[in-house]
Amino acid sequence: MMDRFWSWRLFVALPLFLHSPICSSDKAPNYSFMRDATGSPTTSYYDYIIIGGGTAGCPLAATLSQNASVLLLERGGAPYNNPNITSLSAFGAALSDLSETSPSQRFVSEDGVINARARVLGGGSALNAGFYTRAGTKYVRNMGWDGALANESYQWVEAKVAFQPPMGRWQTAVRDGLLEAGIVPNNGFTYDHINGTKFGGTIFDRNGHRHTAADLLEYADPKGITVLLHATVHRILFRTRGTTKPIANGVVYRDRTGQAHRAYLKEGALSEIILSAGTLGSPQLLMLSGVGPLAQLEAQNITVVMDQPHVGQDMYDNPMNAVFVPSPVPVEVSLIEVVGITGEGTYVEAAGGENFGGGGGGSTGSSSTRDYYAMFSPRATLLESNSMTKLSSAQPFQGGFLLEKVMGPLSTGHLELKTRNPKDNPVVTFNYFQHPDDLKRCVRGIQTIERVVQSKAFARYKYADMSFEYLLNLTASTPVNLRPPRSGPGASLPPSAEEFCQHTVTTIWHYHGGCVVGRVVDGDYKVIGIDRLRVIDMSTVGYCPGTNPQATVMMLGRYMGVKILRERDSPRSRVLNRIRVFVKTL
């Protein structure tokens, strides 16, 4: 009975730990420049058109608005004034919402791992576990970024959205267990990425309110920016006649009623369209616009603008495996706060709490559009009606998860179009553990978790009679993904670390790639072979930055906004722009 009880509680709670709802200030910011796309002009003109109001798009738009006219198109709504996504008491409700108006859109990779993509202003920063940490200095150098500007850009972000977490007793025990396990030194509280154990930042403030990338729009010049919600871009427009290469010059988007609108770039060499639609959205929209692998475009009857075989390739998702540890004593509610940066290719993190079974109050979705077992399975296969009766009076969920994330990763996948509708998910394959080194890293991460669980510092928070093998078996018996379950004579035995990694792999939502620098875009994030088009988001990254990428993606939006404005304001650029405008008038 205990096995069944803990397995049910684990199944319900794991998705809700790591998929926190969107929580922001109870008082929504007064953005005079933000409105629904319905009723927007049929035709409009801007210096910059940014597709996607996510983790990169918001800081980018806010920065560019200081010296240019900017249109920011977001396919979802705002992360404000919705109790399902602004109240911590509704924990898990937003991610379990499967309706078409949900702020998250579920997709299942061909690997059988359930995942999510953001459909809300603020993007992934409105759906993640809130951990805030910078990329390492080596990563910044390898990306070719200016270190001083990157540091200034991080500080610009942190002034609005980053905070020190409360660091309760359970998280402190995890920290001390990591130190006892040899993940040293103790780096205290820091945003920096340093080998050892640390408390990182969080985008939750002391009142438990989430601050997303949408809050960075507070920096925007209201006279220079228009933000349209529920504006789904269907394709990018190109001018190809009389040019040596395609020139992006506009977009077609539809509002929530299906009405089509067109937005064009103003004349001038410096006006640009910038894709910030995310790891799935950016390569998908390039292909829908005729830029991608020739065979895929022809299969969907899409007019070819440029055969670009690398679009949608080099897709990565960092594998995550979690071990559930029931606690004999109450555990404070906490998301990701402490991390062990092992130096062996894995990061060990933790999330804990109790009473995570119901997704909180404030739900408005019907049973047909809500799934309180969230990301790991569309069906509660363990919850037959007879077992629900037996478990109805069971003690509240109590305990936590220790999880490991494989850095990199080295395994690669790809993305393909399924339909020509931008609202439909593309077909995605990540090929988890295809590269043997990823599996080796996962095993080392599980071994580190074992040392933490067995440490003296963590002893208060585990049952003395529960061996680590028991905990692995308990977790492995829970359907956290749609991969085939363990079978055969040894299926009832505790899994090896390798088996555990393969069978319990989930996502930590740090997937990236598809428009990688050097293949699809150049070092300035300009699409190779096309004028006036850039991609600035996680799709350009071939290696995940640090333990959580959101800080670096927000930094990148600010960083590139500053660089683009500097380029725009340079004397040479101003002269070239005047010449181009003059030639167009002849």
Side-chain angles (χ1 to χ4, degrees), residues 33 45-50 60-72 219-226 265-266 270-272 274 561 564-569 577:
F33 48 79
Y45 296 85
Y46 296 87
D47 293 319
Y48 296 99
I49 300 171
I50 300 174
L60 176 63
T63 302
L64 292 176
S65 73
Q66 299 300 321
N67 196 28
S69 61
V70 179
L71 174 63
L72 179 61
Y219 285 119
D221 182 345
K223 299 185 297 295
I225 186 171
T226 298
L265 295 177
K266 292 181 178 179
L270 302 177
S271 297
E272 293 180 302
I274 303 173
I564 291 170
L565 285 184
R566 287 177 179 175
E567 178 182 327
R568 184 181 187 86
D569 292 341
N577 197 43

Side-chain angles (χ1 to χ4, degrees), residues 59 131-141 143 145-163 191-193 198 216 219 544-560 562:
F131 195 60
Y132 184 96
T133 181
R134 298 183 177 192
T137 53
K138 182 179 179 181
Y139 187 95
V140 171
R141 287 196 303 270
M143 292 298 293
W145 297 332
D146 177 271
L149 179 56
N151 186 57
E152 292 171 7
S153 299
Y154 275 122
Q155 293 174 352
W156 182 88
V157 170
E158 288 154 11
K160 290 286 185 185
V161 303
F163 306 89
Y191 295 145
D192 294 334
H193 184 84
K198 72 166 188 173
L216 299 175
Y219 285 119
C544 188
T547 56
N548 187 301
Q550 74 168 338
T552 300
V553 180
M554 286 189 275
M555 179 280 292
L556 181 61
R558 168 63 177 178
Y559 177 97
M560 285 306 301
V562 171

Side-chain angles (χ1 to χ4, degrees), residues 276-290:
S276 296
T279 298
L280 267 60
S282 288
Q284 178 186 26
L285 193 53
L286 278 179
M287 287 190 272
L288 291 174
S289 304

Side-chain angles (χ1 to χ4, degrees), residues 124 140 162 172 175 335 340 354 392 409 425 472 517 527 538 554 580:
V140 171
T172 299
R175 179 203 62 188
L335 296 176
E354 60 184 13
S392 61
N425 288 318
L472 289 184
V517 170
V527 176
M538 276 289 282
M554 286 189 275
R580 181 172 184 143

Side-chain angles (χ1 to χ4, degrees), residues 93-113:
L95 269 296
S96 64
D97 183 355
L98 304 184
S99 70
E100 291 185 359
T101 59
S102 171
S104 68
Q105 182 175 357
R106 175 173 294 184
F107 71 95
V108 182
S109 73
E110 297 299 285
D111 315 275
V113 173

Side-chain angles (χ1 to χ4, degrees), residues 19 95 104-107 114-118 127 375 509 511:
H19 284 81
L95 269 296
S104 68
Q105 182 175 357
R106 175 173 294 184
F107 71 95
I114 301 174
N115 215 318
R117 58 191 295 206
L127 298 174
M375 302 307 299
W509 312 284
Y511 53 91

